[in-house]
Amino acid sequence: MIYLDNAATTWPKPQLVVTAIEEALIHKAGNAGRGGHGAAMQMARLIYQAREDLCSLFGTDDPTRVIFTQNATHALNQALFGLLQQGDHVITSSIEHNAVARPLWALKQRGVEVSEVPGIPGKEFDFEAYHQAFRPNTKLVVTLHASNVTGTLLPVKEIGQIAHEYGVYYLLDAAQTAGVFPIDMGRLAVDLLAFPGHKGLLGPQGTGGLIVKPEIRLEPLIYGGTGSLSEEDRQPSFLPDALESGTLNGAGIAGLGAGVRYLLKEGINKIRAREQALCRKLWNGLKAIPGVTLYGSDMVEQRSPIVAFNIGELDSVAAGFILEEKAGVIARAGLHCAAHAHRMLGTLDQGVVRFSPSHFTSEEEIKTALQAVKRVAKELG
């Protein structure tokens, strides 16, 4: 198997991550916050260590404001439904993943006003339209950091700064960039950061989180046991307890924390340089194949490690199936849960095939994948 679907979930995981999960399952049997005995305290310390590791990675300094969730989608829903109310206005982009687009659609049915900043290929975010979108009742700007379809980066530094000039919060969806690009909440005008644990952070599936700056209070998405104020019916108001009802995925968080420590040790810039080099080989190789259409800027070094393409008029899902069946190349194909981006690209019917290598991918695997695409294109031609 040649695995080129790391934008969906990274594989393989560092051995450090696997070991941390095993250790948590075998030696740390307690439930954090549910008892004062040694086993519960062991797990609580492990989870708190993961919060501290994430603070180190994302340039923030309060571990209690790192909220663990099931995934980035859960984190985005907590932020959006926890902050927005009827009569509020929110601004978003035209290339959002369904993890943002669908919650906003649901909130729109509840009386929240939504404005979408238009974009076209090569100019995915129109700043003039963005300025014009602000209203007296604008409460939030929410955008992804990088498109999961093309890897295109939005200018999040400027987007956040402008939001703050208007006195508006900024929620960043870092599904494709957490662990891939340096993200410093101390320098960026980001008030809420949603991230998955199983992609660039190299942790297991079923993990993710939301980092919330101090001035923001969110209504909980889920209510229930927290291990604190158990004598009261009301939900605790302090973080992280207010937004973490129920038993946390202790073993998963152990793996997530280990993934973060791996990144901190290896260095995100070093890992990214490797992924950039692999994406450049993919881009140049695909560009040389007759019949292949590439999407996004050819400046692959300025994108997340994604290369999106189609082979002639062949349906992208069919192309992905052929690549796996004939060459063992694992790619993502179809609409990628991002119809808004496909409408802009003009690929809503065909979808795209997406290659997304990791720093564990070998150059030989890249070469084999390109040869497989070349054979399919030749057979079609």
Side-chain angles (χ1 to χ4, degrees):
M1 180 175 70
I2 296 174
Y3 187 80
L4 294 176
D5 195 19
N6 289 279
T9 195
T10 49
W11 182 89
K13 306 295 183 182
Q15 184 57 45
L16 183 69
V17 172
V18 178
T19 301
I21 295 171
E22 288 181 342
E23 285 287 318
L25 289 171
I26 296 170
H27 299 296
K28 295 178 173 63
N31 192 345
R34 275 66 175 180
H37 52 75
M41 296 302 292
Q42 256 192 331
M43 182 59 75
R45 283 192 289 270
L46 184 153
I47 290 171
Y48 194 82
Q49 179 64 56
R51 297 188 205 275
E52 290 186 323
D53 294 333
L54 286 159
C55 283
S56 297
L57 185 68
F58 291 128
T60 186
D61 59 5
D62 187 349
T64 68
R65 303 194 75 82
V66 177
I67 311 303
F68 286 118
T69 61
Q70 298 175 35
N71 42 55
T73 299
H74 181 186
L76 288 162
N77 273 263
Q78 173 59 80
L80 292 168
F81 284 93
L83 187 64
L84 297 171
Q85 300 175 343
Q86 182 178 2
D88 289 335
H89 175 239
V90 57
I91 300 171
T92 190
S93 86
S94 63
I95 59 172
E96 294 303 309
H97 188 277
N98 281 344
V100 167
R102 285 180 172 173
L104 289 184
W105 184 90
L107 284 162
K108 195 172 180 179
Q109 314 314 304
R110 302 183 185 190
V112 173
E113 300 171 20
V114 179
S115 293
E116 187 176 290
V117 176
I120 58 173
K123 189 181 178 183
E124 279 77 8
F125 197 83
D126 185 333
F127 275 103
E128 183 178 349
Y130 180 45
H131 278 284
Q132 294 174 355
F134 285 91
R135 305 174 186 173
N137 61 331
T138 304
K139 192 171 188 178
L140 179 71
V141 173
V142 53
T143 74
L144 49 70
H145 193 172
S147 168
N148 70 309
V149 178
T150 63
T152 300
L153 290 168
L154 288 186
V156 297
K157 181 178 180 181
E158 293 80 3
I159 291 172
Q161 287 174 342
I162 292 168
H164 282 193
E165 288 171 9
Y166 284 93
V168 172
Y169 296 130
Y170 184 32
L171 164 61
L172 183 64
D173 172 8
Q176 292 299 325
T177 55
V180 178
F181 287 88
I183 298 174
D184 189 337
M185 292 185 70
R187 297 184 179 182
L188 291 175
V190 173
D191 302 292
L192 301 115
L193 179 72
F195 60 89
H198 67 104
K199 297 187 181 185
L201 296 182
L202 304 173
Q205 296 172 1
T207 60
L210 178 69
I211 300 181
V212 186
K213 286 225 175 143
E215 65 272 16
I216 299 174
R217 184 181 182 279
L218 300 176
E219 288 297 320
L221 195 63
I222 299 172
Y223 293 78
T226 62
S228 56
L229 302 183
S230 296
E231 71 280 8
E232 298 186 9
D233 288 340
R234 67 181 177 89
Q235 187 80 356
S237 59
F238 54 86
L239 296 180
D241 297 38
L243 306 179
E244 285 185 350
S245 291
T247 294
L248 292 174
N249 179 4
I253 293 169
L256 170 57
V260 172
R261 290 191 292 278
Y262 173 89
L263 292 170
L264 290 169
K265 180 181 178 182
E266 293 294 319
I268 286 180
N269 289 329
K270 175 185 173 183
I271 291 171
R272 172 146 177 76
R274 167 69 176 165
E275 293 173 343
Q276 285 175 329
L278 294 174
C279 283
R280 173 52 66 188
K281 288 182 180 293
L282 280 171
W283 183 275
N284 290 343
L286 289 167
K287 188 178 180 181
I289 300 172
V292 168
T293 301
L294 287 156
Y295 300 93
S297 166
D298 63 357
M299 299 296 291
V300 295
E301 292 81 5
Q302 297 178 15
R303 306 200 328 244
S304 64
I306 286 171
V307 177
F309 65 98
N310 274 315
I311 307 171
E313 300 299 320
L314 182 63
D315 181 81
S316 63
V317 175
F321 178 79
I322 293 168
L323 289 171
E324 182 176 4
E325 285 295 299
K326 292 192 173 183
V329 176
I330 305 298
R332 177 73 188 274
L335 297 183
H336 311 272
C337 301
H340 289 235
H342 283 283
R343 287 191 187 96
M344 187 185 68
L345 291 171
T347 55
L348 195 57
D349 292 330
Q350 188 179 14
V352 300
V353 181
R354 183 184 71 191
F355 282 166
S356 50
S358 81
H359 65 294
F360 292 118
T361 306
S362 71
E363 293 190 15
E364 188 61 32
E365 287 175 320
I366 297 295
K367 182 179 178 180
T368 301
L370 290 170
Q371 289 171 343
V373 174
K374 188 174 182 178
R375 286 197 300 270
V376 175
K378 187 176 180 179
E379 290 172 6
L380 282 178

